[in-house]
Amino acid sequence: MKRTTNCGALRKADTGKTVVLNGWVHRKRDHGGISFINLRDRYGISQVVVDSDAPAELSALAAELRNEFCIAVEGIVRSRPDTMINPDMPTGEIEVVAKKLLILNRSEVLPFQVDEESEAKEELRLSYRYLDLRSAGMQRRIKLRNDVAFAVREWMIGQGFYEIETPTFIKSTPEGARDYLVPSRLYPGKFYALPQSPQLYKQILMVGGFDKYFQIARCYRDEDARGDRQPEFTQIDIEMSFVSRDDILAMTEGLMGHVFKKTLDRELPPHFTRLSYEDALERYGSDKPDLRFAMTMQDFGPYVADGGFQAFKDALSTGDADKAAAAAKGVSLAGGGVKVLVVPGKADYSRKQIEELEAQAKIYKAKGLAWMKVTGTEAAATLEGGVAKFFGESAQKICAGLGAKPGDLLLLVADSQRKIANIALGAVRSKLGRDLGLTGPGPDGKPRFEFAWIVDFPLFEFNEEENRWEAAHHMFSWPQDRYHATLEQDPGSVKGDLYDLVLNGYELASGSIRIHDPELQKRIFSIVGFDPAEAEQKFGFLTQAFKYGAPPHGGIAPGLDRLVMLMAGETSIKEVIAFPKNSFAVSPMDNCPSEVDQKQLDELHLSVVQPKKE
C-alpha cells in the first residue's frame, strides 16, 4: 500500500488507472450507503468513494474512519458525473473508487478542526503545532518560505556570491539586545554566545578576500517579551567588497525582483523609491512609511501666525537656546512644528472617531489632536469645528495651500519638538490607512507591494537616560565622508552611509557601508563611550584584521521571516515559521525553556539562584 501518486496530482486524463494514495482523512460523509472520503496530503485533496456494492469488510473499515486518521487507499480513478464536478478542487473532475483500505494510524478527537485556517486561539495552535501545520494555510505558507529561500540561493549564486556559514558559537559582544549565553563545560566560568547577527564575521570574510558573501542565517536575541518578536529568527545576510551604497541597493532590488517573480509571478519595478530619513519623517511621520496610499503630511507652520490659536504659536516659538539643547540631545529635527494631514472626504467623521485618532497620537507623546472640517465650495471654502474659529479669516488661503476641498477633514499635531509632531501624526496616518481600507488589494484584486529605500540616517542618537551617544544602527557603519573632520565636535549632525529597505510599512532590511579603517573605528568606539581597553577586549580581533589591507565593504540583511510574512499577506511572523515561540518566548508544545537536572548543571559548573519572592 505504498503510494504511487499524491492526493493533488490526479486529473481526468488518469481515468481508469489503478492508484495507491496515502494521507489523512480531511472530511468524511455517508450518503445512501456510499462513503465519500476527502483524502489529504501536502499536495492536495482527492475524493475517495466506497460504493454501496463494496465488500462488507471494506465498508466496515470505511465506517471506522474519523477525521485525521492516517490511511492508505488502493482504487481506480473514474470521472465524476458533470453534475458532481467540483471546480474549486484541482482534482475536482475525478474520484478514486476504493478497492482496498488500510488504516495506518488512528487519531484521537481533535482539539480543533484542521481546515483552511484554524479559528483556534494562538496558544492552542502552538500547543498542537503538528496539527496546525496540517492546515492548508500553514502548508501553503511553509511552501512559500521554502520557495523564497530557494529563489534567494538561486539568484545570489547566479550573481557570483558564495554561501558561507559563520559560527553560531561566538564571543559575547552585547550591543542593543542581550546575548543568549552558552556555558562551556571544558572552560568553567566561560561562555559562548549565540549570534545576534553574523556582522563581525562577514566583515572578516571581506578581509579574507571573499568579496561576495551571503548566508540564510539563524540569529538570536534575548529580548523582553513584546509584540511579534521571536528569540530566534532568520535573515538573508549579505556582504560585498569594493562597492558603494548604490551597488548594494541595486543588488537588493535585483534580488527582490527575482524572488517575487519566481515565487508569486509578480513584476517589481527595477528601482525602488528613495527617501531621506528626514523626508520620510516630514512627509509620512515614520522611517518605515507605508507607500500604498498617499495622504502625505504637510507643514501648517506658514498659517499659524495669521491665526489666534496660542498652542500652535507656542510650539513654533522654541528659542535658539532650546533648539541648541535639542540638537545636543540628538533630536534630528530640532525646533517646534505644526503638522497637518488632509483626509479626503472624511468631514463626516464623528467626534468619537476623532477621539480614537487622538488616542493614537497621544501614544507617541502628542499633547492632543486638533481638527477642522472643510465646508463651503471650492471657490469659497470655509472651516468649521475644532480649532476652526481661530483660522476663519485664513480659510481660503489654508485650503488652497493644502489642496483641501469641501468635505475633507484636517488633522493637526503641534509640539515644541518637530520630531514628536511628525511621529505622532504619522501614527494617525497609519491608523487611517488601515481604518479606511487604503492598504488593501489593487484594482486587479492582488496584494500591493510598495518598496522604499530610506537613506541618510543619523549615525548617532542621544540616550538621555544614560547621558551618552549611541550608534543609531550599529558601531561599524561608515560616517559619510563630509562629516569625518567634525565627528567628535558635532555627533548629532553626522549622517551615516546607512539604508533601510521598507515594504508596506515594515522595515524589511537594514544595511550600511562598513568602517574598514581601524583608526576611524576607534574614533567611533570613543564617541559611543567605549574606552580603548574595553573596545580592544570586545572588538580587538576585528580592528586587528583591519590592519591588514581591509577592503571597502558593505552589506544588508533582509529578514526572511518578515519577507515571507508580507508576501503571504499575514501580519504575524508566527504564521510563516514552522515552530515559533509565543509572545512570551515560550514553546507551549514542548514546554521550552525547561529546567535541567542537577547533573547537567554540575558538569557546567553552574548553580541556579531562584529570584526572591516578594
Side-chain angles (χ1 to χ4, degrees):
M1 297 289 276
K2 182 179 179 181
R3 68 182 177 186
T4 60
T5 188
N6 63 65
C7 295
L10 297 173
R11 298 294 185 270
K12 196 169 185 177
D14 297 303
T15 299
K17 291 182 179 178
T18 297
V19 297
V20 177
L21 300 176
N22 294 175
W24 290 266
V25 175
H26 187 67
R27 289 281 189 278
K28 175 176 173 283
R29 65 190 190 279
D30 298 310
H31 183 72
I34 303 175
S35 293
F36 296 93
I37 303 159
N38 279 3
L39 190 64
R40 185 196 72 242
D41 62 13
R42 77 173 174 94
Y43 305 96
I45 296 176
S46 287
Q47 179 170 281
V48 174
V49 180
V50 179
D51 280 336
S52 57
D53 60 354
E57 183 181 355
L58 181 59
S59 296
L61 203 55
E64 291 186 43
L65 299 181
R66 299 290 182 271
N67 285 1
E68 298 310 305
F69 273 36
C70 186
I71 66 172
V73 175
E74 181 180 311
I76 299 172
V77 181
R78 76 180 176 195
S79 297
R80 295 197 200 186
D82 290 345
T83 56
M84 302 292 288
I85 290 174
N86 185 346
D88 296 327
M89 288 175 61
T91 61
E93 291 187 302
I94 60 91
E95 57 193 13
V96 176
V97 182
K99 299 302 178 184
K100 293 181 183 178
L101 193 155
L102 175 65
I103 296 176
L104 301 173
N105 215 334
R106 286 171 164 77
S107 172
E108 295 185 3
V109 175
L110 301 175
F112 54 84
Q113 190 62 46
V114 176
D115 215 326
E116 173 68 21
E117 296 290 352
S118 173
E119 296 182 0
K121 291 183 178 180
E122 179 183 283
E123 200 72 3
L124 187 62
R125 291 177 60 203
L126 294 182
S127 295
Y128 295 90
R129 190 61 164 181
Y130 38 84
L131 294 178
D132 194 43
L133 286 170
R134 294 182 192 174
S135 70
M138 284 304 306
Q139 292 267 320
R140 187 169 56 249
R141 292 189 289 273
I142 295 300
K143 179 185 184 302
L144 176 61
R145 185 185 179 105
N146 168 79
D147 294 346
V148 168
F150 178 80
V152 167
R153 288 189 164 99
E154 181 180 56
W155 195 86
M156 298 299 290
I157 291 171
Q159 295 294 312
F161 284 78
Y162 285 177
E163 183 171 12
I164 304 174
E165 294 177 340
T166 53
T168 51
F169 280 9
I170 67 170
K171 180 183 179 69
S172 178
T173 55
E175 287 303 316
R178 289 178 291 271
D179 288 334
Y180 278 102
L181 299 177
V182 180
S184 169
R185 180 180 60 83
L186 297 177
Y187 302 97
K190 294 187 177 182
F191 296 81
Y192 303 101
L194 300 180
Q196 295 186 33
S197 86
Q199 181 64 45
L200 304 184
Y201 290 94
K202 67 178 180 178
Q203 289 191 251
I204 289 174
L205 282 171
M206 298 301 105
V207 181
F210 294 99
D211 65 322
K212 286 186 171 184
Y213 143 92
F214 88 101
Q215 179 184 189
I216 298 181
R218 297 290 284 170
C219 303
Y220 309 85
R221 292 179 186 171
D222 188 6
E223 297 181 302
D224 293 335
R226 60 188 176 106
D228 199 33
R229 300 294 181 94
Q230 286 287 300
E232 52 182 324
F233 58 96
T234 306
Q235 66 187 34
I236 306 165
D237 204 55
I238 302 168
E239 200 78 5
M240 304 165 67
S241 293
F242 309 113
V243 290
S244 68
R245 179 185 75 183
D246 287 350
D247 296 317
I248 293 174
L249 269 53
M251 178 277 302
T252 308
E253 288 164 347
L255 170 62
M256 291 297 151
H258 176 79
V259 168
F260 274 73
K261 179 63 178 175
K262 182 86 176 183
T263 60
L264 298 182
D265 195 26
R266 294 291 296 273
E267 296 281 355
L268 297 182
H271 301 292
F272 303 153
T273 299
R274 292 192 192 184
L275 291 167
S276 72
Y277 169 75
E278 291 192 2
D279 281 346
L281 284 187
E282 283 289 311
R283 295 169 60 187
Y284 301 100
S286 172
D287 59 4
K288 42 183 182 292
D290 191 337
L291 301 188
R292 286 176 293 179
F293 62 104
M295 204 192 300
T296 54
M297 294 159 28
Q298 301 180 62
D299 190 359
F300 196 76
Y303 312 106
V304 170
D306 294 338
F309 193 45
Q310 192 60 41
F312 285 1
K313 293 182 178 181
D314 291 345
L316 296 181
S317 66
T318 309
D320 291 340
D322 294 325
K323 290 181 180 180
K329 293 178 180 178
V331 178
S332 60
L333 300 177
V338 183
K339 299 303 292 286
V340 59
L341 199 61
V342 179
V343 188
K346 291 302 168 184
D348 60 351
Y349 252 39
S350 67
R351 182 65 189 172
K352 181 180 178 182
Q353 288 173 302
I354 293 173
E355 287 174 352
E356 289 175 356
L357 295 173
E358 183 176 40
Q360 183 76 5
K362 286 183 174 179
I363 292 172
Y364 295 88
K365 301 182 180 180
K367 297 177 180 65
L369 180 70
W371 58 275
M372 297 182 279
K373 297 180 179 183
V374 184
T375 55
T377 65
E378 287 195 39
T382 56
L383 296 170
E384 292 183 3
V387 297
K389 62 184 179 181
F390 299 104
F391 298 97
E393 295 181 5
S394 307
Q396 192 66 31
K397 179 182 175 183
I398 289 170
C399 292
L402 299 178
K405 296 179 174 56
D408 292 349
L409 174 67
L410 306 185
L411 300 172
L412 305 101
V413 172
D415 199 273
S416 58
Q417 291 188 34
R418 190 178 185 88
K419 188 174 183 180
I420 288 178
N422 278 324
I423 291 174
L425 192 58
V428 172
R429 176 186 180 270
S430 296
K431 178 172 171 55
L432 283 167
R434 296 188 297 270
D435 292 350
L436 300 177
L438 303 178
T439 59
D444 59 359
K446 295 181 179 179
R448 290 176 291 151
F449 299 104
E450 293 292 340
F451 286 86
W453 288 110
I454 312 300
V455 298
D456 298 335
F457 281 87
L459 188 65
F460 303 104
E461 53 191 18
F462 196 77
N463 185 323
E464 293 191 28
E465 292 181 3
E466 299 181 13
N467 195 35
R468 70 180 184 92
W469 290 101
E470 294 178 331
H473 280 52
H474 58 63
M475 296 184 295
F476 312 104
S477 297
W478 184 267
Q480 293 181 8
D481 292 351
R482 56 189 163 135
Y483 299 101
H484 285 203
T486 58
L487 280 177
E488 288 81 2
Q489 288 77 19
D490 189 13
S493 69
V494 178
K495 289 183 172 56
D497 226 339
L498 297 154
Y499 35 86
D500 279 4
L501 181 60
V502 174
L503 174 58
N504 292 359
Y506 289 86
E507 177 195 315
L508 188 59
S510 277
S512 69
I513 298 299
R514 321 299 189 190
I515 295 170
H516 63 277
D517 176 352
E519 294 307 313
L520 180 58
Q521 185 67 75
K522 289 177 182 177
R523 291 173 66 189
I524 301 297
F525 285 155
S526 177
I527 291 170
V528 298
F530 272 52
D531 64 50
E534 183 183 12
E536 177 64 26
Q537 190 270 328
K538 289 188 173 181
F539 303 108
F541 67 98
L542 180 67
T543 53
Q544 177 73 9
F546 286 170
K547 296 176 182 178
Y548 294 95
H553 59 282
I556 193 167
L560 180 66
D561 309 302
R562 188 164 288 176
L563 173 61
V564 178
M565 176 192 82
L566 292 169
M567 295 176 74
E570 296 294 330
T571 57
S572 169
I573 59 172
K574 298 185 187 77
E575 297 298 335
V576 298
I577 299 173
F579 298 103
K581 306 296 186 288
N582 65 16
S583 298
F584 302 98
V586 170
S587 171
M589 184 183 73
D590 55 358
N591 290 320
C592 167
S594 61
E595 296 177 348
V596 298
D597 61 39
Q598 189 61 45
K599 180 180 178 182
Q600 289 175 281
L601 293 174
D602 293 342
E603 288 176 340
L604 294 170
H605 309 279
L606 294 177
S607 61
V608 176
V609 179
Q610 297 293 342
K612 293 180 180 179
K613 295 183 179 179
E614 295 184 3

